[in-house]
Amino acid sequence: MKLQRMNRRALSLGALAVSGALALTACGSDDTGTSSGSSSSATAAAGSIKCDDARGQLLADGSSAQKNAIDAWVKNFTQACSGVQVNYKGSGSGAGVTAFTQGQVAFAGSDSALKPDAVAASKSVCTGGQGIDLPMVAGPIAVAFNVSGVDSLVLDAATIAKIFDGKITNWNDAAIAKLNPGATLPDLKIQPYHRSDESGTTDNFTKYLIAATPDNWKYSGGKAWQAKGGQAAAGSSGVAQGVKQTNGAIGYMELSYAKDGLGTVAVNTGAAAPVKPSSDGATKAVAAAQVVGTGSDLSLKLDYNTKAEGAYPLTLVTYEIACDKGNKAATLPATKAFLRYIASEDGQGILSGIDYAPIPDAIISKVRTTIEGLS
């Protein structure tokens, strides 16, 4: 059987060499929103994936922020490693951490590093070890809006805070007009949308407000939304859908969800020019992050109050959470193979094409070393 598989692979590689670009172009686009070009390079990169002894079903859950990235990665990985089925639910960071500490999943995704109580809980499922944070995906949190007749919009931290705290309630408010001279702002009620579920996106969004405008955001922050009022929706996709369906709406979501006619706010950070959400802007923000985790934990501290030119401050990092030691023997090979691929140059290389940002080299190199040591 092994020889037959090797022969089949040799024939496939030979066909690829002959057909070249035609074989890649045929992959087209997929439902993750990946363009034809991005899909082609991702598929080409799949040839370097090491499957090792990976087999069976790999269950995972967590951050909806990275769901589109995970979908693209899973497609490439399972094409190369046909003996593995990866099922990532994307129920939100809070749900993912809970599932991990209860031993229901092999790994979880979270847009916030593990809190001490979650680390303690993880020790009951990581025999002889504990859960650790592996930064894997960076991405800008877009403040997306749907206001008829308004195509571009500049806001600063104070104005964003007041909008989501119900202190600014109309689109033609003087504070918004001052930031958008010459714009025709309608006399229209603002409808702010926030997450209904516990979310690392909410955690990072409110960390930004706390850091950048503490006088206007008096809440303690965390995964659960604390301000009063506004509309609630589940998941980043739910917030995006609510904003799309409501004239006058505004909400926070990962850039990959801010599509289909939604505008995105350029943030006035105090730099020379307002900064629009972008992969490059997110990478610039993460490059200044500090590793604050201990041991094999690689949790980061971001500078949400950055004024660096081109750095987009509303940026989150999604961590894959796994056991450093004590992983289940049945899922360890698949877990390591999948995490190895997504942390690889090929895996990180597809992120910019689908509105995410790769983790800077100095950090992702540490992630790769840590993955090899998982046991």
Side-chain angles (χ1 to χ4, degrees):
M1 290 297 292
K2 234 179 230 186
L3 185 58
Q4 289 175 343
R5 282 198 298 269
M6 289 173 66
N7 288 339
R8 284 199 298 270
R9 177 168 288 188
L11 287 171
S12 297
L13 290 172
L16 181 60
V18 173
S19 57
L22 288 175
L24 297 178
T25 306
C27 296
S29 61
D30 57 56
D31 59 7
T32 67
T34 310
S35 66
S36 180
S38 299
S39 179
S40 298
S41 60
T43 304
S48 64
I49 295 172
K50 290 174 60 180
C51 305
D52 292 339
D53 298 322
R55 287 179 180 79
Q57 188 176 52
L58 193 61
L59 298 179
D61 196 2
S63 164
S64 65
Q66 68 168 356
K67 182 67 165 60
N68 292 337
I70 289 281
D71 286 348
W73 280 331
V74 167
K75 180 180 178 181
N76 292 339
F77 181 77
T78 53
Q79 282 178 347
C81 305
S82 58
V84 184
Q85 182 181 12
V86 183
N87 183 354
Y88 182 84
K89 291 174 65 176
S91 302
S93 296
V97 171
T98 298
F100 179 76
T101 57
Q102 292 179 351
Q104 298 171 0
V105 294
F107 72 91
S110 176
D111 308 321
S112 301
L114 289 170
K115 299 292 191 288
D117 60 337
V119 173
S122 73
K123 293 179 180 180
S124 65
V125 296
C126 302
T127 307
Q130 65 181 49
I132 57 170
D133 301 288
L134 302 173
M136 203 70 75
V137 187
I141 302 174
V143 180
F145 64 93
N146 173 15
V147 182
S148 292
V150 178
D151 297 322
S152 62
L153 189 67
V154 175
L155 298 175
D156 58 14
T159 310
I160 293 170
K162 291 175 184 177
I163 286 172
F164 282 90
D165 199 24
K167 300 295 194 299
I168 292 178
T169 58
N170 232 52
W171 279 110
N172 61 355
D173 187 275
I176 301 176
K178 184 177 179 180
L179 290 163
N180 296 273
T184 302
L185 299 169
D187 182 8
L188 177 67
K189 182 181 178 182
I190 298 174
Q191 303 271 12
Y193 275 78
H194 60 264
R195 291 281 290 271
S196 60
D197 53 323
E198 288 202 354
S199 160
T201 310
T202 294
D203 192 15
N204 284 275
F205 179 66
T206 55
K207 279 179 180 175
Y208 160 72
L209 296 177
I210 291 166
T213 184
D215 291 342
N216 294 297
W217 196 259
K218 300 292 189 179
Y219 305 98
S220 61
K223 289 187 177 75
W225 183 255
Q226 296 172 322
K228 306 298 182 184
Q231 307 292 326
S236 296
S237 58
V239 172
Q241 190 63 26
V243 175
K244 287 174 191 175
Q245 294 175 345
T246 308
N247 186 26
I250 188 170
Y252 58 92
M253 65 199 72
E254 293 69 41
L255 182 59
S256 62
Y257 291 91
K259 297 184 178 297
D260 301 330
L262 292 182
T264 56
V265 168
V267 179
N268 183 341
T269 65
V275 186
K276 290 273 284 183
S278 70
S279 295
D280 287 345
T283 298
K284 286 179 181 177
V286 177
Q290 296 177 322
V291 176
V292 294
T294 57
S296 53
D297 184 90
L298 295 172
S299 56
L300 304 175
K301 182 179 180 181
L302 300 176
D303 181 7
Y304 295 98
N305 204 22
T306 180
K307 294 177 175 57
E309 298 298 330
Y312 185 73
L314 252 168
T315 293
L316 61 77
V317 170
T318 297
Y319 301 94
E320 310 313 329
I321 296 168
C323 296
D324 57 355
K325 299 176 183 177
N327 287 276
K328 294 177 181 177
T331 55
L332 177 60
T335 299
K336 288 184 72 168
F338 183 68
L339 294 181
R340 180 187 296 122
Y341 161 58
I342 68 179
S344 71
E345 185 176 346
D346 292 336
Q348 292 287 299
I350 72 172
L351 292 175
S352 295
I354 50 176
D355 292 324
Y356 292 95
I359 300 296
D361 289 343
I363 299 172
I364 201 67
S365 63
K366 295 178 182 178
V367 173
R368 292 167 186 156
T369 300
T370 303
I371 289 169
E372 295 307 320
L374 298 181
S375 63

